Amino acid sequence: MPIKCNLCEAGAILKRPKTGDALCKNCFYFAFEEEVHKTITDANLFVRGETVAIGASGGKDSTVLAYVLKALNQRYDYGVNLVLLSVDEGITGYRDDSLETVKRNQQQYDLPLKIVSYEELYGWTMDAIVKQIGLKNNCTFCGVFRRQALDRGAILMKVDRIVTGHNADDIAETVIMNVLRGDIGRLQRCTAITTGTEGALPRSKPFKYTYEKEIVMYAYFKKLDYFSTECIYSPNAYRGFARAYIKDLEKIRPSAIIDIIHSGESLSVKKAVKLPTQGTCERCGYISSNPLCKACILLEGLNRGLPRLGIGKSHKERRKLNEMLAQKEEAGNEKTTPDNSRETTENASSEKSASGSSKQKCENCSCGQKCLAEKVEDLQLDRRKIDPALIDF
Ligand code: SF4
Ligand code: ZN
């Protein structure tokens, strides 16, 4: 006997992953859209008259978001002006194709579109970055640059808010990743439906409680035009592990995704815990808790042939950089000041005779100062050319 829809008398065609309800197509659309509407109204996401940029990649999440927001804006008269904003990372064979989908979406949904590219903003495409750094850490560059590129594009479009297609699965993964990294600052922020209110532009996630599986179902049954190929420089291994872990959890406990989000929301940080304070980047003016924002450090590294400068435990790189510069400066002083030079030589020889060895050793290989000086020359780390804010960072 055919299964009936739990909400009407029609025949059910799917089982909702989120609730287990058997639903017909129309009732699924209704339930899906109403939940997004509830998320928007509960969090007061929109203000009448605002211009809202939808971060559009051509993928399923942002395509469904554009479609649903356009429908809800008409149905419930939010009174917002919707526009599409895309970032071209410069990934041949991936982003160029997906941007074609966005351009079709622009026609289908009749919304204005702006595309900003890494090449025009940073002078680098992801293809060129991957050529320099390889396939490890490429997503760090891409993620940091994209975040800033979206803000810059949004400012050019004079929008008041950005919305992105991040879904419940993405947010649960981010919670797990921040727990594993012990990143209290991000853990506290990552479940917020709106971020960036203190900085550039507010950025909201209307799909915060929407399951990825349901977004795929919605796009499939509505026959939406979206691009489903994976990035050629994927996967982002760390997020991939968090995703696999949550999928395993879901098999044991179907509500795992929402449970993780709720756990993240319930976490509170003691007042005594010191969190990074937000300021602005000394070079580009973008929000940053350090003198230079992450994008400027990564860019500096790329432009100087030191692409690992802003990656991982980058303080080690910076410390090394500072030590090398200090050594070089010291060596320069010895050469240019005759009195100092004699004094230094005398001190060095007396230290040598006292300890039996030279005090100034290369920290990398203990071979002596000349090796260090050569490394400095090789890397062209002339203090005058380095941004002072970078040195102090
Ligand atoms: Fe960028 Fe990595 Fe995503 Fe590719 S997978 S678009 S390189 S963040
Ligand atoms: Zn900056």
Side-chain angles (χ1 to χ4, degrees):
M1 198 174 131
I3 299 170
K4 285 202 170 166
C5 171
N6 288 172
L7 298 178
C8 73
E9 289 299 300
I13 59 153
L14 59 91
K15 188 176 163 195
R16 269 195 86 180
K18 194 170 183 179
T19 58
D21 288 340
L23 295 179
C24 70
K25 225 193 271 185
N26 286 336
C27 285
F28 169 64
Y29 296 153
F30 180 76
F32 182 96
E33 291 160 8
E34 286 305 299
E35 279 182 16
V36 178
H37 172 60
K38 186 171 180 333
T39 305
I40 290 170
T41 48
D42 283 358
N44 292 320
L45 283 196
F46 300 142
V47 177
R48 179 171 286 279
E50 268 186 349
T51 299
V52 177
I54 302 165
S57 66
K60 62 178 186 333
D61 299 307
S62 58
T63 303
V64 173
L65 182 64
Y67 180 90
V68 170
L69 284 188
K70 176 150 176 135
L72 292 177
N73 194 28
Q74 283 168 354
R75 188 182 307 161
Y76 292 108
D77 190 25
Y78 294 155
V80 294
N81 308 309
L82 296 171
V83 297
L84 298 175
L85 173 58
S86 293
V87 176
D88 180 0
E89 297 94 341
I91 303 176
T92 313
Y94 167 66
R95 186 55 83 214
D96 40 4
D97 291 343
S98 69
L99 284 175
E100 289 308 311
T101 312
V102 177
K103 287 175 194 164
R104 288 197 301 276
N105 290 160
Q106 174 194 14
Q107 304 293 321
Q108 292 152 354
Y109 307 155
D110 190 24
L111 296 172
L113 165 68
K114 169 135 194 88
I115 301 174
V116 286
S117 74
Y118 284 4
E119 191 158 32
E120 70 184 273
L121 293 176
Y122 309 112
W124 288 82
T125 61
M126 273 312 291
D127 287 338
I129 292 172
V130 168
K131 245 183 218 155
Q132 183 167 142
I133 63 156
L135 281 172
K136 212 175 160 209
N137 298 316
N138 54 303
C139 293
T140 301
F141 283 83
C142 196
V144 170
F145 287 168
R146 187 188 302 110
R147 185 174 177 80
Q148 204 178 87
L150 261 185
D151 276 343
R152 292 204 197 178
I155 289 165
L156 287 175
M157 286 186 101
K158 297 189 171 49
V159 311
D160 303 291
R161 175 183 302 273
I162 300 170
V163 289
T164 59
H166 289 99
N167 58 48
D169 300 51
D170 297 328
I171 296 168
E173 286 159 18
T174 308
V175 171
I176 295 294
M177 284 162 65
N178 287 331
V179 168
L180 294 176
R181 286 178 178 140
D183 191 332
I184 297 288
R186 287 206 172 91
L187 190 54
Q188 203 191 21
R189 290 194 303 266
C190 72
T191 53
I193 191 161
T194 297
T195 52
T197 43
E198 72 289 344
L201 277 174
R203 190 179 282 230
S204 306
K205 305 179 189 97
F207 282 168
K208 178 181 173 184
Y209 299 113
T210 309
Y211 277 28
E212 186 174 46
K213 280 181 194 162
E214 299 204 348
I215 293 172
V216 175
M217 276 183 171
Y218 189 93
Y220 173 78
F221 286 118
K222 284 269 184 187
K223 296 188 173 56
L224 298 186
D225 181 7
Y226 70 92
F227 183 80
S228 55
T229 308
E230 281 255 317
C231 169
I232 53 169
Y233 301 138
S234 146
N236 178 342
Y238 197 45
R239 183 169 284 276
F241 288 133
R243 181 168 303 166
Y245 170 70
I246 292 170
K247 293 277 175 244
D248 283 348
L249 269 183
E250 229 188 334
K251 284 179 203 148
I252 307 163
R253 187 180 168 93
S255 60
I257 291 175
I258 290 295
D259 292 345
I260 292 170
I261 296 175
H262 286 156
S263 301
E265 287 171 337
S266 311
L267 282 173
S268 61
V269 180
K270 274 189 188 168
K271 285 215 170 66
V273 176
K274 201 168 175 275
L275 294 170
T277 45
Q278 292 287 9
T280 50
C281 171
E282 289 175 7
R283 185 178 294 178
C284 72
Y286 191 72
I287 45 159
S288 170
S289 48
N290 290 299
L292 283 189
C293 71
K294 187 87 172 166
C296 281
I297 292 173
L298 292 174
L299 203 53
E300 184 79 21
L302 283 173
N303 291 335
R304 291 188 180 282
L306 291 168
R308 293 191 55 76
L309 197 60
I311 300 288
K313 297 210 172 8
S314 53
H315 58 277
K316 280 190 188 161
E317 287 281 333
R318 285 191 294 271
R319 198 168 54 220
K320 202 164 132 191
L321 188 68
N322 289 342
E323 283 168 4
M324 291 165 96
L325 291 167
Q327 288 277 4
K328 191 187 177 202
E329 197 171 49
E330 222 172 86
N333 287 344
E334 283 167 15
K335 269 187 219 153
T336 52
T337 319
D339 290 341
N340 280 357
S341 163
R342 197 172 57 241
E343 202 180 306
T344 311
T345 313
E346 280 165 9
N347 286 346
S349 60
S350 63
E351 273 158 11
K352 189 173 181 180
S353 58
S355 64
S357 66
S358 169
K359 191 184 174 190
Q360 295 204 0
K361 290 243 172 177
C362 165
E363 294 217 352
N364 296 310
C365 60
S366 306
C367 67
Q369 200 179 348
K370 189 164 179 290
C371 169
L372 184 64
E374 275 171 7
K375 281 177 201 266
V376 171
E377 291 304 330
D378 285 345
L379 294 169
Q380 298 181 313
L381 294 173
D382 187 323
R383 180 154 216 146
R384 283 160 304 177
K385 291 184 202 156
I386 303 274
D387 191 298
L390 184 73
I391 294 164
D392 295 333
F393 175 75

